[in-house]
Amino acid sequence: QVQLQESGPGLVKPSQTLSLTCTVSGGSISSGSDYWSWIRQPAGKGLEWIGRIYTSGTTNYNPALKSRVTISVDTSKNQFSLRLSSVTAADTAVYYCARAGYSGYEGYMDVWGKGTTVTVSS
Amino acid sequence: QSALTQPASVSGSPGQSITISCTGTSSDVGGYNYVSWYQQHPGKAPKLMIYDVSNRPSGVSNRFSGSKSGNTASLTISGLQAEDEADYYCSSYTNSGTLGMFGGGTKLTVL
C-alpha cells in the first residue's frame, strides 16, 4: 500500500527557508485523483493544514500562510515538496505529509507520513 | 483559534460510551456533509476515522460512529477501550475560503 516519508533539515535558522520533501512509495504520485498535502502541528497544539497540490500542479494554500508557502511535485521522483520562507520560531512544529482525496473529496486524508520535527532556532 | 469548536477534554470508563462534539456554522458543518474525524495517539500521525459525517473507512472499528445535527457534528465511541485514549480532531469543508479547517482537538482520557 501507499506509504509516505518526510525528509529534510530538522533545524532551520530564523528568516531562512524551510524545505521538506515527501517521498511516496507503493504507488505512483501521478495516478488516480489524489491530492498531496502538508499539515503541521506545534508541540502540544492542534493540527494546522498548510496546503495541497494536485498531480496537475494545481495548488491550494492556507490563507494564513499563503504568502510564504510553495508546494511542488516531482513526478519523476515520486515526491512532493514544501517550501516555507521567512520562518520564525512560530513555525517550529512536526510537519506531516499526507495523501488526500479519499472517497473523492480533497479534504479527506487517509495516508499520512510519520512526521518530521522542524525547529526554527539560531 | 479554530473556527470549529471542540471540548478540550472528555473522559469515560472502559465499556462506557462517550461523545465528542464539533460545533461550526451553516457555512461549514451545518451546510455540508464533508465532515471527518481523525484520531491521533501521542507521537503518532493522525488517522482518518470517520468521513462524510458518518462513514467509516475500511478497518475502523464499528465502535466509532459519527452524526450531525444542525451546525454540530458528533463522534461517539461506544464500548470504550484503553486504546481509544487519544486526541480527536474534527474537520469540515467550508465555503468561507478557509481551506483544510480542523477543530482544536479533544483529548479523550479512558479512566
Side-chain angles (χ1 to χ4, degrees):
Chain A
Q1 70 277 23
V2 172
Q3 293 183 312
L4 307 181
Q5 178 67 60
E6 305 90 349
S7 60
L11 181 64
V12 181
K13 288 181 167 53
S15 80
Q16 293 190 342
T17 296
L18 178 161
S19 296
L20 296 174
T21 296
C22 183
T23 300
V24 180
S25 60
S28 172
I29 199 172
S30 55
S31 67
S33 56
D34 298 322
Y35 290 79
W36 304 95
S37 304
W38 288 97
I39 304 94
R40 70 181 183 179
Q41 185 174 36
K45 298 188 177 181
L47 301 169
E48 180 179 32
W49 181 79
I50 299 171
R52 61 183 173 230
I53 188 166
Y54 192 52
T55 50
S56 65
T58 300
T59 54
N60 301 113
Y61 299 129
N62 183 330
L65 300 170
K66 187 174 183 177
S67 63
R68 299 194 290 130
V69 173
T70 302
I71 297 175
S72 59
V73 63
D74 186 337
T75 55
S76 67
K77 295 182 178 179
N78 230 30
Q79 297 175 334
F80 64 105
S81 299
L82 168 71
R83 288 174 57 86
L84 181 66
S85 64
S86 305
V87 297
T88 69
D91 295 309
T92 294
V94 175
Y95 284 75
Y96 295 99
C97 59
R99 182 181 74 176
Y102 186 81
S103 191
Y105 171 55
E106 65 267 24
Y108 297 150
M109 293 167 280
D110 67 324
V111 180
W112 293 66
K114 293 182 178 181
T116 188
T117 299
V118 178
T119 301
V120 179
S121 175
S122 56
Chain B
Q1 188 168 351
S2 304
L4 299 179
T5 301
Q6 299 180 232
S9 63
V10 299
S11 63
S13 299
Q16 289 185 331
S17 294
I18 63 94
T19 297
I20 299 172
S21 61
C22 171
T23 301
T25 69
S26 58
S27 296
D28 39 68
V29 173
Y32 305 89
N33 287 328
Y34 291 120
V35 176
S36 56
W37 291 89
Y38 295 85
Q39 175 192 63
Q40 185 181 34
H41 287 109
K44 301 294 186 181
K47 175 185 177 182
L48 180 65
M49 303 298 284
I50 295 287
Y51 69 98
D52 288 350
V53 176
S54 60
N55 292 337
R56 287 185 306 275
S58 175
V60 173
S61 171
N62 59 10
R63 297 185 299 104
F64 291 83
S65 62
S67 62
K68 188 182 80 168
S69 177
N71 295 335
T72 298
S74 298
L75 172 71
T76 297
I77 308 174
S78 59
L80 209 55
Q81 300 179 359
E83 66 201 49
D84 300 330
E85 185 163 292
D87 294 326
Y88 293 85
Y89 294 89
C90 64
S91 182
S92 173
Y93 171 82
T94 174
N95 64 16
S96 68
T98 306
L99 301 174
M101 185 165 55
F102 287 102
T106 299
K107 180 177 180 61
L108 168 62
T109 300
V110 180
L111 302 172

